[in-house]
Amino acid sequence: TAHQMLGEQRQAKKIAQSSLYQDLIRLMNDLSLYLGLCGEDPDTADCIIARTDQLIGAFELETLHPGAVLPYDLFAARLYAACGKEEQALEYLERYTALATGEIWTLGLHGDGFFDLLDEWLEETLPLGAALPRDERMVKKSMTEEVADQPVFDALKKDPRFLDILRRLRQNERDEGKRDE
């Protein structure tokens, strides 16, 4: 508001966008946690999933911030598997795998058409810039383990789609570093 009052429209928009972006990512984290807490109430869980899916779509979060979507997809898959809803569990495991094995590794934090000033804000604000500091190999390994080592998915372990999900996640681990060759 202060920047707006001073006629600094661009700065005001940049700050507003950064606030919206941070709130959106916090909301995704909170929705994932809330889904885990409400798993024993199928109606509430279905409502959380439906609304979260709409939020992901509305803000194109799979490309804007895949790291906020991955845990949610995994929570939803676990919840459905625990309830014996294998089809839905596999659907969310597919989404998780498609995102985990996609082009997310070349992306750092970034804006998009809606958050068109976010890149500038990130560069000004984050000491390391917009790059995501991480050990890609370890992240990919843990993403595979999150699926392969979960007892809640035991009922799916003979399903060809589940086996394909594991194959793709394991291949993704092995492909680490080959992009640069």
Side-chain angles (χ1 to χ4, degrees):
T1 304
H3 286 290
Q4 185 179 19
M5 290 172 62
L6 292 171
E8 299 170 353
Q9 209 56 15
R10 182 178 179 83
Q11 187 66 16
K13 285 181 179 179
K14 189 187 324 176
I15 292 169
Q17 283 186 20
S18 71
S19 179
L20 287 167
Y21 178 82
Q22 292 173 75
D23 290 344
L24 181 60
I25 302 312
R26 274 192 293 274
L27 180 59
M28 277 301 298
N29 290 336
D30 290 346
L31 285 165
S32 294
L33 293 172
Y34 191 54
L35 180 59
L37 294 171
C38 294
E40 293 160 7
D41 179 357
D43 292 336
T44 301
D46 285 341
C47 182
I48 295 166
I49 289 170
R51 289 181 184 208
T52 306
D53 285 348
Q54 290 174 353
L55 185 69
I56 290 168
F59 283 94
E60 301 173 358
L61 283 172
E62 289 179 329
T63 53
L64 181 65
H65 197 308
V69 179
L70 285 162
Y72 161 75
D73 284 345
L74 196 56
F75 269 115
R78 285 181 186 152
L79 176 94
Y80 281 133
C83 294
K85 296 181 177 182
E86 294 179 8
E87 188 62 36
Q88 290 94 329
L90 287 165
E91 178 185 328
Y92 280 89
L93 284 172
E94 281 287 348
R95 286 174 40 157
Y96 174 83
T97 303
L99 196 52
T101 61
E103 295 298 317
I104 65 172
W105 304 104
T106 58
L107 301 175
L109 297 175
H110 61 87
D112 64 6
F114 182 84
F115 293 102
D116 62 334
L117 299 174
L118 188 65
D119 291 339
E120 193 176 308
W121 178 83
L122 288 166
E123 288 301 321
E124 292 170 359
T125 307
L126 300 179
L128 298 176
L132 298 175
R134 63 177 173 245
D135 180 343
E136 183 177 326
R137 185 176 46 94
M138 293 304 296
V139 172
K140 287 181 175 185
K141 182 176 178 0
S142 79
M143 292 171 83
T144 302
E145 290 169 350
E146 288 289 339
V147 175
D149 299 341
Q150 291 296 317
V152 74
F153 298 135
D154 284 350
L156 303 173
K157 291 201 173 177
K158 291 185 181 177
D159 188 295
R161 291 180 298 167
F162 185 80
L163 295 173
D164 185 58
I165 286 166
L166 289 179
R167 180 196 59 75
R168 289 167 43 209
L169 289 168
R170 288 181 177 131
Q171 182 63 46
N172 193 47
E173 280 183 65
R174 289 189 294 275
D175 289 344
E176 187 273 319
K178 291 185 181 178
R179 270 191 326 273
D180 300 328
E181 293 177 358

